[in-house]
Amino acid sequence: MSTGADAGGEPALVTAVRAGDIRLVERLLREDRDADAEQAAFSLAVRMRSGGIAQLLLQNGVDPSLSRPDELLTLCEAVKSGSPALVEALLEQSMRIRYPEAELLEARDLACHWYRAGAEAELRRRTGAEEAAARARVQDDELYSIGAFSLGGVSVRDGHAAILTDLEQLLGVSPSFEELMARALGFDQDHTAWPRATILLSHRRDQETWAAAAALRTHPEPSHRLFGAEVLRLTHLFDDDEADAFAGPALDIFTEWSTRESDRFVLTEVLRALGQHPDARAVAALLPHAGHPYGDVRRAVASGLGTWFEPPAFSGEVRQALLVLMTDPDWAVREEACLTVGNGRDRDPALTDAMFALLEDADRQVRVAAVEGLASHDDARCVEAARLLGPPRQRPGSRPSELYLSALWLYEWRRDRRR
């Protein structure tokens, strides 16, 4: 299928947008490019309030400034939709000149009103409908989901907290730690309001923010501890200063925290943070949790034992833990452990044989990781294994499976150079 016109004369890309088929849109964008069709597709995606598709088009080089204002929603209409992805598409760099400060302020105030009232309550007030609202969880952009409400023939999403944060940042407004935390804690960690708050706070990199986040580690509510842990983790992760001032304090905090955290979700975040530290103390803190009853915790351990700064060989304890994790009942744990082994420099035959055994795994994503790992370890068995995998596929939310083809190509290139 190409971006040419369908039987009705409409470009196939526009038809795909009209159908809300984001996978088809993605595929068509990899084929014959048609600037006119892409611009029409972007305008339609915005009018349909399909923020995720609009974002996808932008990521593939579509120029939103080619759309006339009358072909799009107004900024305030996008705000009312409750879709952060849609608002972000309209505020793309080349589009910002269209919006004077007064319009941005109006949009911010509107977002604030919807956030404080609550999407469902405000929808009910505006429609006057008395029946129960239909609720659903929907994907708003490539990474995050939000709530959606339908009532009286009108639908809105509950992303106004995230929209408010974005507009404030654009206007140079700096809300307090407490205000941003309140916006996040009104939702769960997978809701787009949460990362908007934690990422913004982590980029401040000041002692006041650090102290406020660190103080939450003893809060009685797990959600507060989780928020604090994520802010601390991201502060160190995004610290590109050569002095790395937050590395030592972060390692101290998370090493101690890992010994007493009882909530699985908070513990997972703490272990993810430890995995960002190439330090023997971090490894020692991770290992006791390798047999945790919850898979997400074990997955954090498997990932955190990674070797980007490790010596050529794992310690005996780490090697044994990874061998066990590669046979874990949870496919995501097996995949993560296999990736850690594959990306490492330890060429112990037991590890290579464990990856080879995963070529028979029931889950394709684990088999993909095994092929990639064997290729990285210059094991010739990766060639036949890749052939048996067939064409690349990708499950929603997974790593790009095409990576195993890159690893295979690099293996063959190294092999041929040695001949």
Side-chain angles (χ1 to χ4, degrees), residues 104-114 164 167:
L104 293 173
L105 288 168
E106 181 185 5
R108 180 206 60 183
D109 293 344
L110 184 61
C112 185
H113 173 79
W114 274 86
L164 174 59
L167 288 167

Side-chain angles (χ1 to χ4, degrees), residues 17-32:
V17 172
R18 195 179 303 283
D21 191 337
I22 194 166
R23 297 300 173 196
L24 179 56
V25 170
E26 190 173 20
R27 192 174 78 194
L28 292 171
L29 287 169
R30 292 196 297 262
E31 298 177 3
D32 297 332

Side-chain angles (χ1 to χ4, degrees), residues 19 48 60-61 67 97 105 146 149 161 163 171 187 215 232 234 250 252 282 291 326 409 417:
M48 290 182 61
N60 281 270
S67 298
I97 195 172
L105 288 168
I146 58 179
F149 300 91
I163 294 170
L171 288 163
F187 306 94
L232 294 175
L234 294 177
D252 290 341
M326 289 171 75
W409 181 87
R417 285 194 67 188

Side-chain angles (χ1 to χ4, degrees), residues 33-237:
R33 303 298 295 264
D34 180 337
D36 290 338
E38 291 171 0
Q39 186 272 320
F42 176 79
S43 298
L44 177 62
V46 171
R47 292 196 305 275
M48 290 182 61
R49 296 165 171 77
S50 299
I53 293 179
Q55 290 284 350
L56 176 61
L57 291 162
L58 292 177
Q59 291 163 13
N60 281 270
V62 176
D63 185 354
S65 65
L66 297 177
S67 298
R68 300 190 312 272
D70 63 346
E71 295 176 320
L72 305 171
L73 297 176
T74 67
L75 184 57
C76 282
E77 287 174 326
V79 168
K80 284 189 287 186
S81 78
S83 167
L86 182 59
V87 173
E88 190 176 359
L90 289 180
L91 291 173
E92 193 271 342
Q93 187 67 40
S94 65
M95 297 277 282
R96 291 180 189 174
I97 195 172
R98 294 188 179 186
Y99 306 107
E101 184 177 11
E103 188 170 356
L104 293 173
L105 288 168
E106 181 185 5
R108 180 206 60 183
D109 293 344
L110 184 61
C112 185
H113 173 79
W114 274 86
Y115 160 61
R116 301 212 180 279
E120 183 179 4
E122 181 63 12
L123 178 62
R124 186 174 300 281
R125 186 187 72 81
R126 291 182 177 234
T127 61
E130 297 181 356
E131 68 270 20
R135 305 183 183 192
R137 188 70 177 238
V138 297
Q139 199 71 24
D140 190 59
D141 59 21
E142 186 179 8
L143 297 175
Y144 299 107
S145 61
I146 58 179
F149 300 91
S150 297
L151 188 63
V154 180
S155 298
V156 298
R157 298 184 175 188
D158 67 354
H160 301 96
I163 294 170
L164 174 59
T165 300
D166 286 348
L167 288 167
E168 285 177 336
Q169 189 173 11
L170 192 59
L171 288 163
V173 176
S174 183
S176 68
F177 183 98
E178 292 73 20
E179 172 61 26
L180 287 171
M181 181 170 67
R183 293 177 194 175
L185 294 182
F187 306 94
D188 58 58
Q189 194 180 21
D190 293 328
H191 191 285
T192 190
W194 187 290
R196 289 299 208 281
T198 56
I199 291 173
L200 181 58
L201 286 169
S202 69
H203 282 308
R204 291 182 180 176
R205 297 192 187 93
D206 58 59
Q207 288 303 318
E208 182 182 358
T209 302
W210 180 268
L216 292 172
R217 66 188 187 276
T218 58
H219 197 283
E221 289 294 329
S223 59
H224 289 68
R225 300 199 301 275
L226 180 61
F227 183 82
E230 185 169 316
V231 172
L232 294 175
R233 179 180 68 83
L234 294 177
T235 299
H236 170 247
L237 178 65

